[in-house]
Amino acid sequence: MFQDLAEFWSVKPEEALAKLETRANGLTDAEAEIRRAACAADRMDPKGKTTAWGLLLGQFKSPIVLILLAATLLSFALGDPTDALIILTIVMVSALLGFWQERGAAHAVEKLLSLVQVKVKVLRGGAPAEIPLDNVVPGDVFLCGAGAVIPGDCLLLESTDLFVDEAPLTGETFPVEKEAAPTPADAPLEKRTNALFMGTSVVSGNAKALVAAIGRKTEFGKVSERLRAKPPETEFEHGVRKFGYLLMEVTLMLVFGIFTINVFFHKPVFESFLFSLALAVGLTPQLLPAIISINLAHGAKKMASAKVIVKRLASIENFGSMNVLCSDKTGTLTTGTVQLRAALDAAGRESEKVLLHAYFNSSFETGYENPIDVAIRECRKFDLSACRRLDEVPYDFLRKRLSVAVARSDGNWLVTKGALRNVLDVCVDVETPDGGVEPRAAAAARIQEQFAKLSGQGYRVLGVARKHLGDVAKITKDDEAGMTFLGFLAFYDPLKEGIVAAIARLNRLGIRLKVITGDNHLVAVEVAKQLGLAEPRILTGEELRRTGDAALVQKADQIDIFAEIEPNQKERLILALRKAGNVVGYMGDGINDASALHAADVSISFDKAADVAKEVADIVLLERDLSVLVDGVAEGRTTFHNTLKYVFMATSANFGNMFSMAGASLFLKFLPLLPKQILLTNLMTDFPEMTIAGDSVDEEMVARPRRWNIAFIRKFMLTFGLISSVFDYVTFAVLLWLLHAGVEQFRTAWFVESVVSASLVVLVIRTQKAFYRSRPSKYLLGATLAVGVATVLLPFTALGRLLGFVPLTAGYLVAIAVVVALYIASAEWAKKIFYRHVSL
């Protein structure tokens, strides 16, 4: 088998190929499959991926459930096998239900993620093949270009003008130039210029590299293994954790108090202990993790039908809470199909010479494919048979220029295209219409006047320049000097059809759109007017540089369009908007968007984006259309609200019933319900709540962004829990004083009342409207009615008798029906008052 290749950057390519037992034309598919199995242990576990066993064992991670299981086993040992088996069965059924639901959710998400899988190009059997990033193995020969992510630590075999962003690994701000020349074994990480490292990405150029290590054996993997850093907690996860603390405090106080009091009143110690544990299980919404997973997976599937793929489920809540969306202009607000409208000389007249040189530049560049070069090549075809590409200096986001060296019959020429200001910076003179030249300073005013005129019409303007190289064939950035300015290229990218309506829908959803663009402010103003912003508030990159961080937090919130923005300024803008209290989404698809995507609460990219952008995104749109995003936001909010519904249902009904049961145990001479009956109550009330993921949500609940609110949940729990408890005590009074119920009749009647009322109140508290004006899903309604009927019939069955229930007479059933009806009416009345004074 191949050897591990330590210090591979100091090894010659042929030696590295030999040690890894591979060839310059790559592995075969069969060889790669063998290595994939052998290297399985080296791969880092994908974030959030859980095995089936992990999911199953996770159902028993609650200390209360574990103690209850131990107690049932003790009960079995002490000679009470029937009750022990019943309790054990109920706990196991509840766990299996949670496992089944979570497993189904996990499978659904895996299928969705496969739709937006990042792929890399390798040589397999000598031919280029695209494979999933996770399938790369040591010995693969990796082919990369601009925008590609590096799948492992690699040794360069060949490279052309290769620049790599190593910021995720080294913190280096600027792209690092790489070339295929050995470096010393003791070279520090940043000096290994012939090595590519996992977790980094290609900014420009292309290369052929040998994969030497993957996963845990890479430099990135070693750091990751040492730190074991968890991903940042989302606001939703933070809310779930705080909610858990709230329930834990209430549960511990209740269980300890009830157990102590029952023992004080000389009730059986072991039975009192089981009773207290059962109360704790009844109060704890143990299906909450499963319900959250189900809701998020269901929401992800629904969003997928709207062409929105969720890569990280926890981001759905932030997606629904988002109130600011930052987006580039090109391809999102506009069609992205850039058209070259004019090639003009320095005097503003149509020029075939300018167009020809732009065609040279676009036809011979080998970097990241972009719409501008496509537009130039498609505008008009020139015969390049007499020309030859010599060399290239790729575009980067600091120079904002792209230069190629071209061999022609009249010698070698350097042709440069890029942002007008950056092209003029390397020019000393300007070509006049008659073919002569004049100093740049003499023509500066005319050039700026022409630039302002074209920009004011909404055109994106680039400059073209050239220089004679003589016999020079290889070029560097230093050759971009002493050039002659030829003229302008004016591009037009029309707005997408329906974009104005889509932005209006975003506004109705409470989301403000902020445009971040590299275009100059004149173009930005024209586009803003087309979008319906009569007087847009604009901040330029130059003004941004002069603005301090504290001032920017105040200012950024008021701005509509950020123009002339540098790539490294995007992250600063996102962080300022977040500090201002916004939940910020950022849409990006380019190599230079990675840092801003990392900084946003919700990072959004596109299926056809650069690999590095798609890799870091939380959400990937299958269609580059803002209306698709609008539909996704609505689904995200629906998912969030359905998750909160379960919390409302579980806390209100469970808290009321368990508090009532605790209180009743103080004045009754018997336990109001046996431990197995309490657990059954909890299990049966969970059945309707399992269907909550598919429930409908009122329009007003998705009309604006909402966040997790623990204070609101606490008030909701106390209000509706208290109402539930009041009617439980009414039930006690009816059973004891009016119907003179015995122990078994009391337990049976209260079990029926508890389950039926807890099931039906779901239909009330799931909506802020009157319950008869908001239609639940057919599954929720069906499950609720089915549980109600099953509960009423259970005491008449053999299973009911095994559980300690007895058949109820018509008098008992009528009394229960009256109490439940009064409870539902009271809950409906209380809901109106509650939402009048408290808002989510």
Side-chain angles (χ1 to χ4, degrees):
M1 184 47 122
F2 64 91
Q3 305 172 37
D4 282 341
L5 195 56
E7 300 174 347
F8 62 88
W9 54 90
S10 64
V11 178
K12 292 181 180 179
E14 54 271 21
E15 185 182 345
L17 289 167
K19 285 190 175 182
L20 286 169
E21 297 182 14
T22 185
R23 299 162 294 281
N25 64 352
L27 301 166
T28 64
D29 287 333
E31 289 170 335
E33 194 59 37
I34 293 170
R35 295 191 184 203
R36 188 181 172 203
C39 297
D42 294 338
R43 298 191 184 279
M44 291 187 290
D45 295 329
K47 292 178 183 177
K49 187 169 182 179
T50 309
T51 63
W53 279 109
L55 285 175
L56 182 58
L57 294 175
Q59 310 303 315
F60 301 97
K61 63 185 177 183
S62 166
I64 295 173
V65 173
L66 291 175
I67 293 171
L68 186 61
L69 288 172
T72 55
L73 293 175
L74 180 60
S75 177
F76 185 86
L78 292 175
D80 190 6
T82 304
D83 278 6
L85 285 172
I86 290 172
I87 293 174
L88 192 61
T89 300
I90 293 171
V91 172
M92 293 302 295
V93 168
S94 180
L96 289 172
L97 279 174
F99 166 74
W100 173 64
Q101 295 275 4
E102 285 197 76
R103 184 63 179 154
H107 279 154
V109 173
E110 285 173 13
K111 288 180 181 177
L112 292 178
L113 289 180
S114 67
L115 296 176
V116 290
Q117 202 170 40
V118 173
K119 294 188 176 182
V120 296
K121 187 179 289 186
V122 298
L123 290 177
R124 287 284 169 86
E130 283 200 339
I131 63 171
L133 186 143
D134 289 339
N135 288 358
V136 172
V137 296
D140 264 328
V141 175
F142 167 56
L143 306 175
C144 63
V149 294
I150 308 301
D153 287 358
C154 308
L155 174 69
L156 278 176
L157 302 177
E158 301 171 9
S159 68
T160 305
D161 302 315
L162 186 67
F163 286 81
V164 176
D165 177 12
E166 292 189 341
L169 188 62
T170 66
E172 172 60 47
T173 304
F174 302 110
V176 178
E177 187 170 8
K178 299 283 186 175
E179 56 185 357
T183 53
D186 59 352
L189 192 68
E190 62 274 12
K191 298 294 185 182
R192 299 171 194 169
T193 53
N194 64 332
L196 306 179
F197 299 105
M198 178 180 171
T200 64
S201 57
V202 180
V203 174
S204 61
N206 49 66
K208 180 178 179 182
L210 173 65
V211 179
I214 62 168
R216 291 184 173 88
K217 292 187 176 180
T218 64
E219 294 295 332
F220 189 86
K222 293 170 188 174
V223 173
S224 177
E225 286 294 299
R226 286 197 300 269
L227 299 180
R228 282 291 183 181
K230 292 180 67 176
E233 189 176 57
T234 67
E235 187 177 337
F236 182 74
E237 290 168 329
H238 180 65
V240 170
R241 183 165 53 81
K242 290 179 67 177
F243 174 60
Y245 291 154
L246 171 66
L247 284 180
M248 186 168 60
E249 292 170 8
V250 175
T251 301
L252 288 176
M253 287 190 298
L254 193 62
V255 169
F256 181 76
I258 295 309
F259 175 69
T260 303
I261 293 170
N262 274 283
V263 171
F264 179 78
F265 284 112
H266 306 292
K267 294 179 181 177
V269 174
F270 187 71
E271 197 171 70
S272 297
F273 177 65
L274 277 180
F275 176 75
S276 301
L277 286 178
L279 275 181
V281 174
L283 182 60
T284 306
Q286 71 264 31
L287 282 183
L288 181 60
I291 294 295
I292 289 175
S293 296
I294 297 160
N295 281 345
L296 293 180
H298 185 274
K301 286 194 287 186
K302 289 277 286 181
M303 290 167 74
S305 67
K307 299 183 179 180
V308 178
I309 304 299
V310 180
K311 288 180 61 186
R312 296 175 181 87
L313 288 183
S315 66
I316 288 182
E317 186 276 338
N318 278 348
F319 196 47
S321 301
M322 180 174 66
N323 68 309
V324 169
L325 174 63
C326 297
S327 171
D328 193 5
K329 172 179 69 70
T330 304
T332 306
L333 307 181
T334 62
T335 61
T337 53
V338 179
Q339 302 168 22
L340 177 61
R341 284 299 178 89
L344 309 173
D345 62 19
R349 291 181 290 192
E350 290 282 347
S351 171
E352 183 168 302
K353 189 173 188 178
V354 171
L355 182 58
L356 173 64
H357 282 77
Y359 192 81
F360 285 151
N361 184 281
S362 296
S363 297
F364 289 131
E365 69 95 8
T366 60
Y368 187 64
E369 180 82 1
N370 68 81
I372 286 176
D373 289 311
V374 173
I376 293 171
R377 293 196 295 265
E378 291 182 351
C379 179
R380 181 177 166 187
K381 304 292 183 183
F382 289 89
D383 181 10
L384 300 182
S385 59
C387 304
R388 180 167 53 89
R389 176 188 181 278
L390 298 174
D391 200 7
E392 175 182 359
V393 180
Y395 180 91
D396 66 54
F397 302 108
L398 297 176
R399 293 166 39 253
K400 293 189 174 180
R401 298 184 295 266
L402 167 68
S403 295
V404 296
V406 183
R408 298 176 56 186
S409 58
D410 56 350
N412 298 344
W413 290 85
L414 175 67
V415 181
T416 299
K417 170 182 97 269
L420 181 67
R421 182 188 301 173
N422 299 67
V423 170
L424 286 172
D425 285 345
V426 296
C427 292
V428 293
D429 48 35
V430 176
E431 187 169 290
T432 58
D434 60 3
V437 295
E438 62 178 324
R440 188 186 72 181
R446 294 198 310 275
I447 290 173
Q448 288 303 321
E449 182 182 345
Q450 188 65 32
F451 173 69
K453 177 183 176 182
L454 292 169
S455 297
Q457 295 171 351
Y459 293 119
R460 181 177 181 182
V461 182
L462 300 185
V464 179
R466 72 170 184 170
K467 182 177 78 170
H468 195 269
L469 292 171
D471 296 330
V472 175
K474 290 291 183 181
I475 57 173
T476 67
K477 296 175 186 177
D478 294 335
D479 290 304
E480 295 177 332
M483 303 188 72
T484 299
F485 180 74
L486 295 180
F488 309 93
L489 299 172
F491 298 90
Y492 178 64
D493 187 7
L495 290 180
K496 281 186 175 178
E497 186 178 350
I499 191 64
V500 175
I503 293 174
R505 286 180 64 196
L506 276 178
N507 289 332
R508 287 196 295 273
L509 287 170
I511 300 173
R512 291 175 293 151
L513 178 68
K514 294 182 182 292
V515 180
I516 300 178
T517 178
D519 289 349
N520 72 75
H521 69 284
L522 297 173
V523 174
V525 168
E526 178 61 25
V527 171
K529 289 178 181 177
Q530 294 175 28
L531 292 173
L533 296 172
E535 297 182 4
R537 293 162 292 188
I538 294 179
L539 183 73
T540 66
E542 183 61 36
E543 293 169 326
L544 179 59
R545 277 190 289 274
R546 297 196 301 265
T547 305
D549 289 342
L552 184 60
V553 171
Q554 302 295 324
K555 199 171 188 178
D557 210 34
Q558 310 302 319
I559 300 298
D560 299 308
I561 295 181
F562 300 93
E564 302 170 24
I565 298 299
E566 305 283 346
N568 56 2
Q569 292 179 318
K570 294 179 181 181
E571 181 181 10
R572 188 177 171 219
L573 285 174
I574 301 299
L575 293 174
L577 287 166
R578 290 184 63 187
K579 287 178 183 176
N582 299 297
V583 177
V584 183
Y586 180 77
M587 294 178 69
D589 67 343
I591 305 165
N592 64 331
D593 288 315
S595 60
L597 288 166
H598 272 297
D601 291 295
V602 187
S603 51
I604 306 162
S605 193
F606 308 93
D607 188 35
K608 302 301 181 185
D611 286 344
V612 64
K614 194 163 67 171
E615 175 71 5
V616 301
D618 298 319
I619 290 169
V620 176
L621 307 185
L622 297 182
E623 205 170 279
R624 190 163 181 155
D625 190 343
L626 206 60
S627 61
V628 168
L629 182 69
V630 174
D631 294 335
V633 168
E635 287 298 341
R637 292 183 183 176
T638 297
T639 299
F640 174 55
H641 191 64
N642 276 339
T643 302
L644 286 185
K645 281 182 190 177
Y646 173 76
V647 173
F648 295 159
M649 295 168 187
T651 52
S652 59
N654 287 10
F655 179 77
N657 283 344
M658 298 307 119
F659 186 76
S660 303
M661 211 173 305
S665 68
L666 302 182
F667 64 82
L668 292 175
K669 294 180 179 179
F670 55 89
L671 293 176
L673 281 181
L674 297 173
K676 59 189 176 186
Q677 295 168 344
I678 296 174
L679 293 173
L680 183 62
T681 300
N682 191 49
L683 178 63
M684 294 193 72
T685 53
D686 275 335
F687 275 105
E689 291 160 3
M690 282 184 175
T691 65
I692 202 68
D695 191 27
S696 56
V697 173
D698 298 336
E699 287 184 8
E700 56 268 26
M701 296 312 297
V702 298
R704 64 180 179 85
R706 298 176 191 273
R707 302 187 187 184
W708 187 280
N709 189 333
I710 291 296
F712 178 90
I713 293 171
R714 186 184 294 112
K715 291 174 184 176
F716 193 97
M717 181 172 73
L718 292 173
T719 300
F720 289 90
L722 181 61
I723 293 171
S724 174
S725 190
V726 165
F727 278 91
D728 283 336
Y729 284 109
V730 169
T731 304
F732 298 162
V734 170
L735 293 176
L736 294 174
W737 298 336
L738 185 62
L739 297 175
H740 307 290
V743 174
E744 291 183 330
Q745 282 109 345
F746 182 93
R747 288 171 175 164
T748 303
W750 194 34
F751 168 79
V752 173
E753 188 273 339
S754 294
V755 176
V756 171
S757 63
S759 299
L760 290 178
V761 81
V762 166
L763 304 179
V764 174
I765 61 180
R766 58 170 290 277
T767 175
Q768 292 186 16
K769 297 178 181 178
F771 74 90
Y772 51 83
R773 292 179 54 205
S774 177
R775 182 178 297 177
S777 71
K778 60 182 180 181
Y779 298 107
L780 176 60
L781 182 61
T784 300
L785 296 178
V787 166
V789 172
T791 302
V792 172
L793 296 178
L794 182 62
F796 296 92
T797 66
L799 177 60
R801 288 191 291 275
L802 189 64
L803 291 164
F805 298 129
V806 294
L808 295 175
T809 63
Y812 279 96
L813 294 176
V814 170
I816 291 170
V818 171
V819 171
V820 170
L822 290 173
Y823 169 54
I824 298 301
S826 299
E828 183 64 40
W829 172 76
K831 182 176 68 176
K832 291 180 182 178
I833 298 174
F834 180 81
Y835 282 114
R836 198 177 298 159
H837 297 92
V838 184
S839 60
L840 177 60

